[in-house]
Amino acid sequence: MKQIPALVETMYWDGHTIVLWPYHLRRLQKGIIHYGLDADEDMIRELIMHRIQQGTNMPQKVRLELSQAGAEITLSPFTRETDRVVQLGIATDLVISSALATGLKTTDRGIYMQAQAQAVQQHCDDVLIPNEKGHWVETAIYNIIWQDPDTDVLFTPAEREGCIAGVMRGYLLEKDYVREAVLYPEILQTAKAVWVCNALRGILPVNRVGIQEYIIQNFPI
């Protein structure tokens, strides 16, 4: 019998609150149902807040791992680099299966660990990973967003393409800042601008994907 992976939420405590907590909770609830875990959302929040209150009011990375064995919470100091610019490489011999993807973030992260290793080899921050159809899906730790050069509309790969349903991504979709679409390889050749996002690091501009370069722009919200 295949072991059930643990659910993972990587959150940003800004010194006052867990940023985007309702969206983290929504994804957790989906995972709890999907894997049939015995977990209570109020208990989880109490555990997280108790752990935070044992630390400091400084910004923290809060990592929750929820499994059949229970909840494990770790904290580490973290400051968002709001002026950071990201360079992306292209993954080689890595493919995300859209048919098997659940949209959940779990400890089953073999392909993402390989992607991070490739990023180091390519001397970039992360690499873009395709699905079995050859469409770009996500990176090892980020969802990707691009801007259409004709309409200025912002898009992100649809969840059915195989990406993790990122928390920041979910917020942007719900607020109608971005729309879902298929990221065909040729789209990145003409995109007006590109960004990456996750709940911990926020939204960051991309100045290069492979050999394609982009003008750095602030995210238009």
Side-chain angles (χ1 to χ4, degrees):
M1 182 177 179
K2 185 177 180 180
Q3 185 176 3
I4 296 174
L7 299 172
V8 175
E9 292 294 330
T10 306
M11 300 166 276
Y12 181 57
W13 169 260
D14 65 2
H16 304 283
T17 188
I18 295 175
V19 178
L20 299 177
W21 167 250
Y23 297 86
H24 284 288
L25 181 59
R26 186 181 303 172
R27 188 169 65 180
L28 267 176
Q29 290 170 329
K30 180 181 175 182
I32 288 169
I33 293 171
H34 181 81
Y35 289 116
L37 299 178
D38 183 15
D40 178 79
E41 61 190 60
D42 292 330
M43 175 271 293
I44 292 170
R45 179 173 175 81
E46 286 181 13
L47 286 173
I48 292 172
M49 295 309 298
H50 177 71
R51 183 71 178 84
I52 290 172
Q53 288 165 4
Q54 289 179 323
T56 70
N57 288 329
M58 299 297 291
Q60 301 278 324
K61 171 184 176 181
V62 182
R63 186 180 189 277
L64 167 68
E65 191 171 306
L66 182 65
S67 68
Q68 294 171 314
E72 180 179 343
I73 300 160
T74 56
L75 271 65
S76 56
F78 185 87
T79 301
R80 281 186 171 177
E81 301 174 277
T82 55
D83 59 348
R84 182 176 181 182
V85 176
V86 174
Q87 294 189 359
L88 297 179
I90 301 297
T92 57
D93 301 320
L94 295 179
V95 175
I96 289 172
S97 171
S98 60
L100 298 178
T102 64
L104 302 172
K105 185 175 181 180
T106 74
T107 51
D108 184 11
R109 295 188 57 78
I111 190 171
Y112 301 110
M113 293 174 66
Q114 292 178 65
Q116 288 177 310
Q118 289 190 13
V120 173
Q121 294 169 355
Q122 296 181 32
H123 304 288
C124 56
D125 299 300
D126 206 335
V127 294
L128 199 53
I129 312 170
N131 63 15
E132 75 281 4
K133 306 168 191 173
H135 306 157
W136 297 122
V137 176
E138 61 189 348
T139 77
I141 65 171
Y142 295 110
N143 289 119
I144 188 166
I145 300 165
W146 73 95
Q147 187 172 36
D148 183 88
D150 299 319
T151 64
D152 286 343
V153 175
L154 303 175
F155 294 99
T156 190
E159 189 176 336
R160 66 178 180 275
E161 290 290 290
C163 68
I164 289 176
V167 164
M168 178 62 76
R169 172 188 178 278
Y171 166 79
L172 294 172
L173 283 168
E174 186 171 287
K175 299 299 182 182
D176 291 327
Y177 293 128
V178 302
R179 303 176 187 175
E180 287 191 322
V182 175
L183 182 48
Y184 298 102
E186 58 269 23
I187 287 177
L188 288 182
Q189 297 174 15
T190 59
K192 184 175 181 180
V194 176
W195 297 266
V196 289
C197 68
N198 65 30
L200 180 64
R201 294 168 175 81
I203 306 169
L204 299 171
V206 173
N207 69 351
R208 180 172 63 85
V209 178
I211 61 173
Q212 184 72 43
E213 296 185 347
Y214 304 94
I215 297 173
I216 299 171
Q217 298 188 38
N218 292 326
F219 196 75
I221 63 172

